[in-house]
Amino acid sequence: MRSPWKIAAVLVAGLLTVAGCGSNATGTEGGAVQLSLWTGFTGPDRPAYEALVKQFNDSHPKIKVTMDVQPWDAIGQKLPGAWVTGQGPDLATPNFDPGVLFTYAKTNSLLPLDEAVGDGDGRLNTTTFPKAVTTAFTIDGKLYAAPANMATLVLYYNKAMLSADGVAVPTTADEFAAAAKKLTKTDGGKVTQYGISLADHSTIQMWPILQWMNGGDIVDAKGCATIAQAPSVQALQNWADLVAKDKVSPVGQTGADADTLFSAKKAAMEINGPWAAAGFKAAGIDLGIAAIPVGAGGPVTLASTVPLAIGKSTKHKAQALEFLAWWTGKTAQAAFSDASGFPPVRTDVTSSNPVVAPFAAGLPHARLYLPGLSTSAKIDADVYVPLIGKVTRGEPVEPAAQAAAEAINKITGCKP
């Protein structure tokens, strides 16, 4: 499971280490314009991205895109300095947190994409993107990125474990909590099977979903804290008690820890994205996939999208824009979805991959975590992650949530 919140420090470091950061050479070769693309897609979904780039190159003989795959931390260290000095790649996925775009916009490193927006071939048809995506990629009225991918989170479950305990796949919030409790087993006070594997840091966040299910949230549209309001406090209290008292999940897990626990068949359920399916199946799990259970807040899940942006200093603006338009076009997105198991980034494209269906079904009610806030990384690292760590270790929820709200408002400058 990937974490979107390690970028702020390395961005600063990258700006201080411009010398020697390097870049891919761009220009023309054999009559074709050469475009460089940096991405952090090092995981099992990497071949799907590489295949998409190959498909573009095969169908566009006058343009050749070379994709350089690097760890996300490496991109975070090198890209800020490379782009601000005009030495970076033509295109890049700066990070898998859309909030990183604020940092690059401040250094005037991004090419606005608005002139390419429109309907038809060779245009960025933003009306087909989920609204939350376009909003997250827009700063001060300008669009600075297109979605490199789109994902939602679902409930993975071990069919054999649920069957052994006579537990039906939960569809409501109450059933979800009850299932997590019933599926937790102990022997002599030691947990031998966890009902669910929850991560609280170095992960794509899942705890906000537990709040959203109950009608709560972390901040409102203006960036003012709502985490201390009754629906959020109630949800946090319920799940913190399940973890701290009922031991339904280990405390303090990273995303990788949570995945390992579920893969080892030591937990019955986990919330995760499409990138995890292949690994879970390879681990021999009798895998089930279901929608996130529905609570008082209605159907909801967390959306994840990686921004794909163009460096402002690119010498091949037209070709880079053409690549983005093609990448987000119907043909490319259908092929990518079939190969990767991710839902398409367009709402008007369907996939023939049966694994995609539950993830695509969540798109209409998917929400981004702390969207549109330049301070999102700071809120996550300094406030939200510590809050979950405290309450799952038994600290009283209501005063902890109130302190978190005050800290969030201080960060965002909100004066309720």
Side-chain angles (χ1 to χ4, degrees):
M1 195 178 291
R2 303 169 302 173
S3 165
W5 303 113
K6 293 183 179 179
I7 189 67
V10 292
L11 282 174
V12 175
L15 287 169
L16 297 175
T17 56
V18 172
C21 67
S23 67
N24 290 338
T26 62
T28 59
E29 180 180 316
V33 170
Q34 305 290 307
L35 295 179
S36 55
L37 165 64
W38 288 5
T39 81
F41 300 126
T42 59
D45 50 354
R46 173 177 176 169
Y49 296 99
E50 292 174 331
L52 204 60
V53 170
K54 183 178 185 302
Q55 186 177 346
F56 176 83
N57 289 338
D58 290 346
S59 59
H60 294 74
K62 293 185 179 180
I63 307 173
K64 182 181 178 182
V65 177
T66 299
M67 185 167 75
D68 182 358
V69 181
Q70 309 174 39
W72 288 112
D73 285 351
I75 290 177
Q77 290 169 356
K78 296 190 294 184
L79 186 62
W83 262 357
V84 81
T85 59
Q87 301 177 54
D90 298 285
L91 304 108
T93 54
N95 187 251
F96 42 83
D97 165 26
V100 76
L101 294 175
F102 284 93
T103 301
Y104 286 95
K106 285 181 181 178
T107 59
N108 199 28
S109 299
L110 302 174
L111 180 75
L113 310 180
D114 301 88
E115 67 180 78
V117 172
D119 195 5
D121 293 339
R123 309 291 292 173
L124 278 171
N125 192 340
T126 56
T127 62
T128 68
F129 303 159
K131 185 178 179 181
V133 173
T134 306
T135 300
F137 293 165
T138 301
I139 301 173
D140 296 331
K142 294 181 179 180
L143 181 70
Y144 283 109
N149 62 24
M150 187 73 201
T152 58
L153 302 190
V154 297
L155 180 66
Y156 286 101
Y157 61 95
N158 187 312
K159 292 181 182 179
M161 287 183 176
L162 269 65
S163 177
D165 282 323
V167 176
V169 179
T171 59
T172 70
D174 289 342
E175 291 173 354
F176 190 26
K181 194 171 180 179
K182 186 173 182 179
L183 290 162
T184 300
K185 298 181 179 299
T186 59
D187 183 6
K190 182 179 180 181
V191 179
T192 57
Q193 176 182 297
Y194 292 95
I196 187 168
S197 187
L198 288 170
D200 60 27
H201 70 286
S202 299
T203 183
I204 283 188
Q205 282 289 1
M206 56 190 70
W207 277 84
I209 297 176
L210 304 177
Q211 294 177 244
W212 295 338
M213 286 168 59
N214 199 50
D217 208 343
I218 302 166
V219 296
D220 62 18
K222 297 180 180 179
C224 295
T226 59
I227 197 165
Q229 294 179 0
S232 283
V233 171
Q234 185 182 50
L236 288 172
Q237 185 71 67
N238 183 32
W239 281 94
D241 285 346
L242 284 168
V243 173
K245 297 178 181 179
D246 297 310
K247 311 298 182 184
V248 302
S249 173
V251 175
Q253 290 195 116
T254 65
D257 294 335
D259 292 351
T260 298
L261 192 75
F262 185 74
S263 294
K265 303 178 186 177
K266 293 182 179 179
M269 299 183 291
E270 186 187 4
I271 296 173
N272 212 326
W275 50 84
F280 290 160
K281 289 179 180 178
I285 295 172
D286 186 7
L287 191 65
I289 300 176
I292 299 294
V294 180
V300 69
T301 187
L302 187 142
S304 167
T305 183
V306 174
L308 178 56
I310 300 175
K312 190 168 186 179
S313 61
T314 179
K315 296 179 174 62
H316 306 291
K317 172 181 166 183
Q319 290 81 7
L321 288 171
E322 183 176 354
F323 176 72
L324 283 191
W326 181 89
W327 182 281
T328 57
K330 288 184 176 181
T331 299
Q333 281 305 302
F336 176 72
S337 185
D338 290 346
S340 67
F342 281 65
V345 303
R346 297 173 63 109
T347 57
D348 59 349
V349 174
T350 57
S351 172
S352 63
N353 186 335
V355 176
V356 173
F359 299 99
L363 286 173
H365 47 261
R367 299 167 63 174
L368 294 174
Y369 173 52
L370 300 174
L373 291 176
S374 60
T375 54
S376 58
K378 185 171 180 60
I379 292 171
D380 179 79
D382 294 357
V383 182
Y384 193 73
V385 168
L387 169 67
I388 302 305
K390 291 173 183 175
V391 299
T392 53
R393 289 172 172 84
E395 186 168 317
V397 171
E398 192 166 356
Q402 186 58 51
E406 293 171 2
I408 289 171
N409 289 337
K410 186 175 181 179
I411 291 172
T412 63
C414 176
K415 297 180 179 179

